[in-house]
Amino acid sequence: SGMAGLWVCSLLVTGANRGIGLGLVRQFLGLPNPPKWVFAACRDPKGQRAQELQNLASKHPNLVIIPLEVTDPASIKAAADRVEEQLGGSGLNLLINNAGIAKLNSLDTETLEDMTQVYTTNTIGPLLLSQPAQRSPGSALSCSKAAIINMSSSAGSIEEVYLWDYGQVVSYRCSKAALNMLTKCQSLGYQEHGILCAALHPGWVQTDMASSGSQKPPMTVEESARGILKMLSSFSEKETGTFLDWEGKVVPW
């Protein structure tokens, strides 16, 4: 399947209760050699929107659901402590910053509040979540050792401005362009700690977030998540600081 090379001992996925986050959790749990621990973080683990995740957790003892509000530093600290406690100090191998929001605003309707909320969730969240990660220095970089994967979008590519005619979504685009710069900064700043950092464009996927317009996105969550896992299995030093899509193709900044 091309995934044989992917063995992650422990990972944390944010925004794991639906969409691509949930798809990634499913794919990891379904690997021939699944992770020892999969931490699935979402805002309201007990809520209606996390029902599928709860069902999965009842079947997989290695799946741990963690409450996490990525815009709240206290919540991030509590989640990091919970993970550390579960891992007994062995350190998380893979952090997938997937939680994200979008507001369907145009240039004319964008507001301070919406822009701030989108930026806080999509850009500052991944920054804060990655700060506890650099305590465990590794050797060669790979997703099995230590990696931070930021879920970006070619909607935030300054060259491509993907799907502009479909929707301006200015705050979302700006937040993802900023997330790409954060990824580059993390790749340089955490290199000495042996942490690989990359930004991913998962494709235009049929999620609640992407399907609010008139056109139906071409890809299923499963196709995207499978592609992402396949790609992660081949990651090495040369991928750090890059912006790639679900098939491993380079996306222009």
Side-chain angles (χ1 to χ4, degrees):
S1 66
M3 311 242 194
L6 187 62
W7 191 74
V8 175
C9 187
S10 62
L11 76 140
L12 186 145
V13 182
T14 67
N17 60 309
R18 54 196 184 134
I20 293 162
L22 182 62
L24 288 168
V25 167
R26 279 190 200 289
Q27 290 296 321
F28 274 106
L29 290 171
L31 285 172
N33 42 357
K36 190 173 166 194
W37 296 110
V38 176
F39 298 99
C42 64
R43 273 186 298 208
D44 182 14
K46 304 259 186 300
Q48 197 54 51
R49 281 172 154 181
Q51 197 51 57
E52 281 183 75
L53 198 53
Q54 291 290 354
N55 298 347
L56 270 181
S58 64
K59 297 189 199 81
H60 298 275
N62 57 334
L63 175 58
V64 180
I65 305 176
I66 292 187
L68 173 65
E69 172 51 76
V70 300
T71 61
D72 175 10
S75 177
I76 289 174
K77 173 148 190 1
D81 290 346
R82 174 87 180 73
V83 168
E84 207 165 324
E85 184 189 330
Q86 191 81 47
L87 293 177
S90 57
L92 192 68
N93 296 124
L94 178 59
L95 169 63
I96 301 180
N97 283 312
N98 164 75
I101 57 167
K103 303 274 184 184
L104 298 177
N105 295 347
S106 66
L107 278 168
D108 298 336
T109 59
E110 202 57 79
T111 64
L112 173 68
E113 291 74 24
D114 282 355
M115 189 112 185
T116 305
Q117 193 194 352
V118 170
Y119 190 86
T120 304
T121 302
N122 294 2
T123 312
I124 301 174
L127 166 79
L128 297 178
L129 262 161
S130 305
Q131 287 172 340
Q134 11 121 3
R135 291 197 294 250
S136 48
S139 45
L141 301 192
S142 78
C143 290
S144 308
K145 304 246 174 44
I148 296 167
I149 301 298
N150 292 325
M151 210 52 78
S152 186
S153 168
S154 51
S157 159
I158 290 172
E159 193 171 318
E160 280 192 10
V161 203
Y162 186 55
L163 296 173
W164 173 261
D165 295 334
Y166 176 76
Q168 294 186 0
V169 288
V170 175
S171 54
Y172 179 78
R173 292 179 188 280
C174 292
S175 74
K176 293 301 188 182
L179 178 65
N180 288 347
M181 178 49 112
L182 173 66
T183 307
K184 191 54 119 173
C185 293
Q186 288 172 333
S187 73
L188 297 169
Y190 296 161
Q191 207 153 16
E192 58 181 309
H193 300 283
I195 300 173
L196 183 153
C197 304
L200 290 195
H201 167 57
W204 190 22
V205 182
Q206 294 159 18
T207 61
D208 292 353
M209 192 161 100
S211 305
S212 43
S214 51
Q215 285 165 282
K216 191 172 154 69
M219 276 174 73
T220 65
V221 165
E222 195 192 0
E223 286 170 321
S224 171
R226 273 217 315 266
I228 289 169
L229 257 73
K230 192 171 168 191
M231 193 176 65
L232 294 182
S233 66
S234 66
F235 264 26
S236 65
E237 262 97 344
K238 67 180 193 306
E239 271 77 33
T240 200
T242 58
F243 182 18
L244 301 166
D245 73 8
W246 76 101
E247 295 178 302
K249 295 199 191 80
V250 172
V251 183
W253 295 113

